[in-house]
C-alpha cells in the first residue's frame, strides 16, 4: 500500500547508545518531517526536509541528526540516546508547502522509543 | 508563540450525541490551512478534515464538520452521532505561508464516547 513506512516500530535503548530511525515514502512527496509526540505536548517538529538535498531544524532538534538520503528516504539519528528522548516518533511527508496550504501530511505508523 | 491552542484535554460524549472539539489558532497570514487529525489508541495519525482560509463554506466530511469562524480565529471540529470508535485523541493543526512546509499542532483533546 502507498504511504509512509517507518522502522522499527518499537525500540529500547540504553543511555548513550545510538540508533537510526528509518522512514521511506512512495508518494513522490517533496517534503518530509520528523516529529516527536509526548503526553500533554502534542507533536513537536524535530527536523524537516523541504526537498531532496535540504534539511532544517524544527522546534526540538537538540540531540538529533537527519539525513535526506534521496527523495524517498529521510532518516533520524540519535547519536547518544538520553532518557529525555523517550517518546513516540512520527515521520510524515507532504507535497511542498510554499504558497500552498491545502496539502496535508501522510504519517507513518510511529516508533515507540524507550531510553533506559 | 503558540500557534494552535486546544483547551480541552479531555471530553466525554454519550453515544449518538454530537460533540464539539475546540481549536483556536494564531496567524497574521491571510492564507492558511487548518486540519484535524484523529489518533486512536493504536497510535496512527488519521487525517479527518481540511479548511482553507479562503473557503466560503465550512468543510464537511461525513459525520465530521469544521465550524470555521475566521474573525474569532477558531476552527472547531464537530462530530455528529458519536460512535464508540470515535474514542481517540484529536489534534488540530495549521499550515500557513509563513510556516510554509511546517505544520503546527495543538496539544490534543482526548475524546471518550460513553455507551
Amino acid at each position: 500500500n502507498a504511504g509512509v513506512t517507518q522502522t522499527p516500530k518499537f525500540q529500547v535503548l540504553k543511555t548513550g547508545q545510538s540508533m537510526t530511525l528509518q522512514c521511506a515514502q512512495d508518494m513522490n512527496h517533496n517534503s518530509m518531517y520528523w516529529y516527536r509526540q509526548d503526553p500533554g505536548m502534542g507533536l513537536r517538529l524535530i527536523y524537516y526536509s523541504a526537498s531532496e538535498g535540504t534539511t532544517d531544524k524544527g522546534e526540538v532538534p537538540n540531540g538529533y541528526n537527519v539525513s535526506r538520503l534521496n527523495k524517498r528516504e529521510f532518516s533520524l539519528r540519535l547519536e547518544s540516546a538520553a532518557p529525555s528522548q523517550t517518546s513516540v516518533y512520527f515521520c510524515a511527508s507532504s507535497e511542498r508547502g510554499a504558497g500552498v496550504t491545502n496539502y496535508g501530511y501522510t504519517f507513518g505508523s510511529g516508533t515507540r522509543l524507550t531510553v533506559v | 508563540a503558540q500557534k494552535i491552542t486546544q483547551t480541552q484535554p479531555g471530553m466525554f460524549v454519550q453515544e449518538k450525541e454530537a460533540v464539539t472539539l475546540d481549536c483556536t489558532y494564531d496567524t497574521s497570514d491571510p492564507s492558511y490551512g487548518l486540519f484535524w487529525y484523529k489518533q486512536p489508541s493504536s497510535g496512527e495519525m488519521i487525517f479527518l478534515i481540511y479548511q482553507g482560509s479562503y473557503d466560503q463554506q465550512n468543510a464537511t466530511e461525513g459525520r465530521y464538520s469544521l465550524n470555521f469562524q475566521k474573525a474569532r480565529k477558531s476552527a472547531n471540529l464537530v462530530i455528529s452521532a458519536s460512535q464508540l470508535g470515535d474514542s481517540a485523541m484529536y489534534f488540530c493543526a495549521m499550515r500557513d505561508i509563513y510556516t510554509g512546509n511546517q505544520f503546527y499542532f495543538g496539544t490534543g483533546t482526548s475524546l471518550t464516547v460513553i455507551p
Side-chain angles (χ1 to χ4, degrees), chain B residues 7-27:
Chain B
T7 58
Q8 306 155 311
M11 291 280 286
F12 293 86
V13 64
Q14 204 74 37
E15 193 177 7
K16 301 179 184 175
E17 297 290 312
V19 63
T20 298
L21 306 184
D22 294 342
C23 173
T24 57
Y25 59 91
D26 180 30
T27 181

Side-chain angles (χ1 to χ4, degrees), chain A residues 31 33 35 37 40 42 45 48 50 90 94-95 97 99 101-105 107, chain B residues 31-33 35 37 39 43 45 50 91 95-97 100-103 105-107:
Chain A
S31 301
Y33 311 81
Y35 280 86
Q37 182 180 20
L45 184 64
Y48 68 100
F90 284 98
S94 167
E95 286 297 338
T101 60
N102 64 335
Y103 288 133
Y105 280 174
F107 283 90
Chain B
S31 178
Y32 52 90
F35 303 77
Y37 287 85
Q39 186 179 42
M45 296 287 285
Y50 162 80
F91 291 95
R95 171 181 227 171
D96 62 23
I97 295 296
N101 290 292
Q102 300 182 41
F103 276 54
F105 286 85
T107 52

Side-chain angles (χ1 to χ4, degrees), chain A:
Chain A
N1 291 335
V4 178
T5 303
Q6 269 184 254
T7 55
K9 293 191 182 303
F10 300 93
Q11 184 71 50
V12 178
L13 288 178
K14 293 183 179 179
T15 298
Q17 286 185 318
S18 63
M19 77 161 295
T20 300
L21 280 65
Q22 306 287 353
C23 177
Q25 52 92 8
D26 57 8
M27 295 168 289
N28 204 36
H29 284 166
N30 284 299
S31 301
M32 297 185 73
Y33 311 81
W34 278 105
Y35 280 86
R36 61 177 289 171
Q37 182 180 20
D38 302 292
M41 304 193 75
L43 280 79
R44 295 181 293 169
L45 184 64
I46 305 171
Y47 272 92
Y48 68 100
S49 171
S51 60
E52 187 179 355
T54 68
T55 60
D56 286 285
K57 295 178 180 179
E59 183 183 354
V60 288
N62 291 345
Y64 306 95
N65 287 301
V66 290
S67 296
R68 184 74 183 267
L69 304 171
N70 48 55
K71 193 172 185 178
R72 290 187 63 249
E73 299 174 285
F74 188 41
S75 62
L76 178 72
R77 183 160 178 84
L78 287 70
E79 290 291 351
S80 180
S84 60
Q85 294 178 305
T86 293
S87 187
V88 179
Y89 292 85
F90 284 98
C91 178
S93 71
S94 167
E95 286 297 338
R96 190 165 187 172
V100 179
T101 60
N102 64 335
Y103 288 133
Y105 280 174
T106 300
F107 283 90
S109 57
T111 297
R112 188 172 294 275
L113 175 66
T114 303
V115 183
V116 297

Side-chain angles (χ1 to χ4, degrees), chain B residues 32-53:
Chain B
Y32 52 90
L34 296 155
F35 303 77
W36 278 91
Y37 287 85
K38 173 184 178 181
Q39 186 179 42
S41 58
S42 53
E44 72 269 31
M45 296 287 285
I46 302 168
F47 166 73
L48 293 179
I49 196 167
Y50 162 80
Q51 178 83 44
S53 59

Side-chain angles (χ1 to χ4, degrees), chain B residues 58-76:
Chain B
N58 288 342
T60 60
E61 291 286 348
R63 294 186 299 108
Y64 303 109
S65 61
L66 202 152
N67 184 1
F68 182 46
Q69 297 187 43
K70 195 171 183 177
R72 299 177 67 179
K73 294 189 175 180
S74 73
N76 299 337

